[in-house]
Amino acid sequence: MEVYALVGPSGTGKSYRAVMLAARLGCEIIIDDGLVIKGNKIIAGMSAKKQPTRIGAIKAALFTEPEHRKTAVDAIAGQAPKKILILGTSKGMTNKITEGLGLPGIKEYINIDQIASAKEIRKARIMRTQHSKHVIPAPIVEVKKSFPESIIHPLQVFMRRHGQKDRRSWSEQSVVRPTFTLYGKFSISQGALVAIVNYAALAVPGVVAVKHTHIIRDDQDVTIELSVVVSINYKLDHISKELQKVVKLQLENMTGLTVNFVNVTIVDIQAEEIC
């Protein structure tokens, strides 16, 4: 099985172009926002766009719920596709989906700007930010099962099938208004992220204090720089690895963001006081 990834920030037109790219690459299955799509059918999953919150949407897109993940894994195994296309906002996100679903490593990353012009991307961003319009690469008859109240209109996409230069066809997609857009905007402040990281770090045995926390965020990807004081009674390499594991797990579970790196610096060692 070959796995390809279409990568680009939210609202740049990935879902709209997924069907055309899949046809060009010969991918039989598209994985997009928590759905497993084959041809004109949604064969498994639950749409992230149906979730009531953006955090819920991110978790659905990453297949974090065990039952959701299992149905997707079983559906893919049953189809035994030779090629799969995964959509994500970053390489880290598509890698996480691949690992979670037990798929082979990604063969090729295609950035949205490789298949869409700057003008097309700007237009897609306007449709997303000003009108909250999202595309699902499946026909309305399929999408209505999950979005009976949120469908806006169908969208026709003209494409050429892989290896069939003389055969062209139309494919229907659906434009929807996600549930989470009905409740207004939601964002996680830098301070909240720092608080989560500090709380998780201080829960690790041997960590005495957190001196400095710096979070670098790129859309849904996060890099954490952490400076801590630890107890002299713990092995430094063990406590550093445990810190990385716990902080990554806690932040990803609470926010749905993808943690790429947790860089730990031990700035001081504290001995226990003798009474």
Side-chain angles (χ1 to χ4, degrees):
M1 184 190 299
E2 293 180 355
V3 180
Y4 295 82
L6 175 57
V7 177
S10 298
T12 50
K14 296 187 299 298
S15 295
Y16 173 68
R17 287 174 173 76
V19 173
M20 292 178 281
L21 180 61
R24 194 182 84 194
L25 295 172
C27 295
E28 303 136 84
I29 283 180
I30 296 172
I31 297 176
D32 179 26
D33 269 349
L35 295 174
V36 181
I37 302 166
K38 182 179 181 182
N40 289 327
K41 289 190 176 296
I42 297 172
I43 61 173
M46 58 180 180
S47 177
K49 296 176 175 67
K50 186 61 177 174
Q51 303 306 306
T53 67
R54 290 185 184 274
I55 287 181
I58 294 169
K59 289 185 175 182
L62 293 172
F63 297 89
T64 58
E65 294 295 329
E67 187 59 32
H68 181 207
R69 182 167 58 247
K70 184 178 184 305
T71 58
V73 169
D74 291 346
I76 294 169
Q79 296 296 323
K82 293 182 179 178
K83 294 182 179 182
I84 290 179
L85 177 64
I86 298 177
L87 276 60
T89 58
S90 66
K91 290 182 179 180
M93 180 179 178
T94 54
N95 288 339
K96 195 167 184 178
I97 294 170
T98 301
E99 292 166 8
L101 297 180
L103 299 173
I106 294 172
K107 179 179 180 179
E108 182 182 354
Y109 298 93
I110 299 101
N111 291 316
I112 186 64
D113 57 11
Q114 293 177 242
I115 60 173
S117 67
K119 183 179 179 180
E120 290 170 330
I121 292 173
R122 281 197 303 271
K123 183 179 178 181
R125 282 190 177 277
I126 291 171
M127 296 303 288
R128 173 66 59 86
T129 57
Q130 296 186 11
H131 305 287
S132 295
K133 291 184 177 181
H134 295 234
V135 173
I136 296 180
I140 278 185
V141 67
E142 283 288 302
V143 179
K144 269 187 177 179
K145 299 172 185 176
S146 301
F147 281 86
E149 74 286 350
S150 302
I151 290 178
I152 301 173
H153 57 74
L155 187 67
Q156 299 291 329
V157 177
F158 189 57
M159 63 182 185
R160 178 185 289 129
R161 293 286 178 186
H162 176 70
Q164 299 176 346
K165 294 183 179 180
D166 299 326
R167 295 187 62 183
R168 300 181 180 183
S169 62
W170 291 95
S171 176
E172 185 182 273
Q173 301 189 62
S174 304
V175 179
V176 303
R177 181 170 288 113
T179 303
F180 58 77
T181 65
L182 304 177
Y183 299 99
K185 294 184 177 180
F186 171 82
S187 60
I188 306 173
S189 72
Q190 195 80 347
L193 295 178
V194 170
I196 293 170
V197 170
N198 290 352
Y199 180 84
L202 289 171
V204 175
V207 175
V208 176
V210 177
K211 286 295 186 181
H212 179 70
T213 304
H214 180 55
I215 296 178
I216 304 165
R217 187 170 173 181
D218 180 14
D219 197 18
Q220 300 301 320
D221 285 8
V222 171
T223 296
I224 300 167
E225 303 285 346
L226 196 59
S227 300
V228 296
V229 178
V230 302
S231 169
I232 197 171
N233 298 320
Y234 290 78
K235 291 185 177 180
L236 301 188
D237 59 336
H238 290 180
I239 200 170
S240 298
K241 289 176 182 177
E242 186 66 13
L243 259 173
Q244 290 174 317
K245 183 175 71 174
V246 170
V247 167
K248 175 180 170 67
L249 182 65
Q250 188 81 341
L251 191 66
E252 289 185 340
N253 284 345
M254 289 191 69
T255 67
L257 298 172
T258 299
V259 177
N260 287 335
F261 302 100
V262 179
N263 299 321
V264 176
T265 302
I266 297 174
V267 294
D268 199 3
I269 299 172
Q270 183 171 305
E272 290 187 355
E273 293 183 3
I274 301 175
C275 299

